[in-house]
């Protein structure tokens, strides 16, 4: 028997309403491999080093209060193996924690749903003429007001996610794509993420290309540790600035 959820009342807290939408999304996205924990929906895809998490997160607006408010839909692709490799860089050890569980803020690619919807569709999907009201230019969020149908919010979000977010995830689901930097996002893989992908792929040519593209722009404070990490992996760090020579005291 299909699971039936009872929607919150109109005067229930906004947090309860966002949780309800997350539960409905969990049910509708389960056939696509997603499981829900709180306001996160996560699918595990790929094998070996290519294993990654596709994360959909409902983030409440920090100004939410009482029965009404708003939320954002965040998208994230997180490669645990990349987190582990980057954590080998001196002073980056804390990133190892990112490999232990999926979390939207730990992804190599991060984006909000409205950022991947065609502008025409986003404007129509979130306009006051339909179930969700928002100011596209100012807020880029989903507002929940008096009388908003949470079931319809979840239905339309599910349709948008399946049509646009799932293909967006798929295009960013391999280390090769991450290394090559061919797919963008609001927050894209860092230089260290891309080099880590090349190391995991054992692709020295790719590493050289990334270093030629970005290496000269690294802050000197980070360059020394990153050069050592690349060298320790048997790759060539040429193109990354070395630490400056410390000036010798006058008269020494």
């Amino acid at each position: 028997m299909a699971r039936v959820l009872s929607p919150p009342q109109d005067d229930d807290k906004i947090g309860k309403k966002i949780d309800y939408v997350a539960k409905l999304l969990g049910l509708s996205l389960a056939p696509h491999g997603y499981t829900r924990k709180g306001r996160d929906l996560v699918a595990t895809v790929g094998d070996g080093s290519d294993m990654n998490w596709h994360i959909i997160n409902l983030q409440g607006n920090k100004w939410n209060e009482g029965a009404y408010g708003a939320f954002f839909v965040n998208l994230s692709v997180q490669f645990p193996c990349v987190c582990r490799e980057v954590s080998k860089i001196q002073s980056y050890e804390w990133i190892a924690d990112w490999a232990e569980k999926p979390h939207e803020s730990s992804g190599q690619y991060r984006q909000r749903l409205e950022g991947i919807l065609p502008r025409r569709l986003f404007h129509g999907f979130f306009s006051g003429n339909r179930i969700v009201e928002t100011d596209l230019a100012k807020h880029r969020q989903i507002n929940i007001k008096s009388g908003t149908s949470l079931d319809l919010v979840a239905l339309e979000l599910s349709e948008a996610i399946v049509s646009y977010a799932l293909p967006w995830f798929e295009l960013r689901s391999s280390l090769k794509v991450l290394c090559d930097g061919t797919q963008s996002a609001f927050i894209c893989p860092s230089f260290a993420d891309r080099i880590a992908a090349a190391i995991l792929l054992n692709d020295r040519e790719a590493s050289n290309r990334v270093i030629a593209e970005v290496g000269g722009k690294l802050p000197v404070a980070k360059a020394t540790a990153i050069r050592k990490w690349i060298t320790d992996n048997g790759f060539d760090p040429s193109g990354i600035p070395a630490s400056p020579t410390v000036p010798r005291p006058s008269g020494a």
Side-chain angles (χ1 to χ4, degrees):
M1 180 180 297
R3 184 180 178 187
V4 178
L5 298 176
S6 298
Q9 299 299 308
D10 193 60
D11 59 353
D12 280 337
K13 296 291 187 181
I14 179 63
K16 187 174 182 179
K17 295 174 181 179
I18 298 173
D19 290 341
Y20 177 74
V21 172
K23 290 176 183 178
L24 291 180
L25 286 176
L27 294 175
S28 64
L29 295 177
H32 299 277
Y34 284 82
T35 57
R36 183 187 67 85
K37 183 175 181 180
R39 296 180 185 176
D40 290 333
L41 297 102
V42 181
T44 302
V45 300
D47 299 310
S49 294
D50 262 335
M51 191 279 280
N52 60 97
W53 292 308
H54 296 174
I55 305 163
I56 301 167
N57 162 261
L58 305 190
Q59 175 191 349
N61 188 298
K62 65 179 180 180
W63 303 114
N64 284 349
E65 184 176 353
Y68 311 118
F71 67 92
F72 303 93
V73 180
N74 300 316
L75 311 175
S76 181
V77 179
Q78 180 183 354
F79 289 82
C81 62
V82 170
C83 299
R84 293 188 192 97
E85 185 59 44
V86 171
S87 73
K88 297 176 184 178
I89 304 171
Q90 184 179 7
S91 80
Y92 285 65
E93 293 86 356
W94 53 274
I95 291 179
D97 292 340
W98 292 8
E100 298 307 312
K101 60 181 180 181
H103 195 281
E104 180 272 331
S105 65
S106 302
Q108 283 74 39
Y109 293 99
R110 297 171 63 195
Q111 181 63 279
R112 279 190 169 151
L113 179 62
E114 83 275 357
I116 66 171
L117 295 179
R119 187 175 180 84
R120 173 185 57 78
L121 176 62
F122 180 82
H123 185 70
F125 178 72
F126 293 100
S127 73
N129 295 325
R130 302 186 70 181
I131 57 153
V132 184
E133 299 182 27
T134 192
D135 182 331
L136 173 64
K138 294 182 179 179
H139 301 300
R140 295 178 177 268
Q141 63 188 13
I142 300 171
N143 290 328
I144 297 177
K145 300 184 177 182
S146 179
T148 298
S149 170
L150 301 177
D151 292 85
L152 289 177
V153 169
L155 175 61
E156 293 194 357
L157 279 178
S158 177
E159 291 174 353
I161 288 168
V162 170
S163 297
Y164 294 94
L166 299 195
W168 183 88
F169 283 130
E170 186 62 29
L171 288 173
R172 293 158 180 81
S173 291
S174 75
L175 288 177
K176 185 178 187 309
V177 169
L178 189 156
C179 179
D180 290 344
T182 53
Q183 297 295 333
S184 63
F186 180 73
I187 296 178
C188 292
S190 67
F191 173 79
D193 291 332
R194 294 178 63 189
I195 293 295
I199 290 170
L200 291 162
L201 293 167
N202 195 29
D203 191 335
R204 286 170 173 75
E205 290 186 5
S207 174
N208 292 339
R209 287 196 302 270
V210 176
I211 291 173
E213 177 187 341
V214 184
K217 304 174 185 178
L218 285 179
V220 172
K222 296 183 178 180
T224 300
I226 290 179
R227 283 175 61 90
K228 182 179 186 305
W229 167 60
I230 291 173
T231 302
D232 288 347
N233 278 285
F235 282 43
D236 181 5
S238 299
I240 298 177
S243 295
T245 302
V246 178
R248 299 182 66 183
S250 177

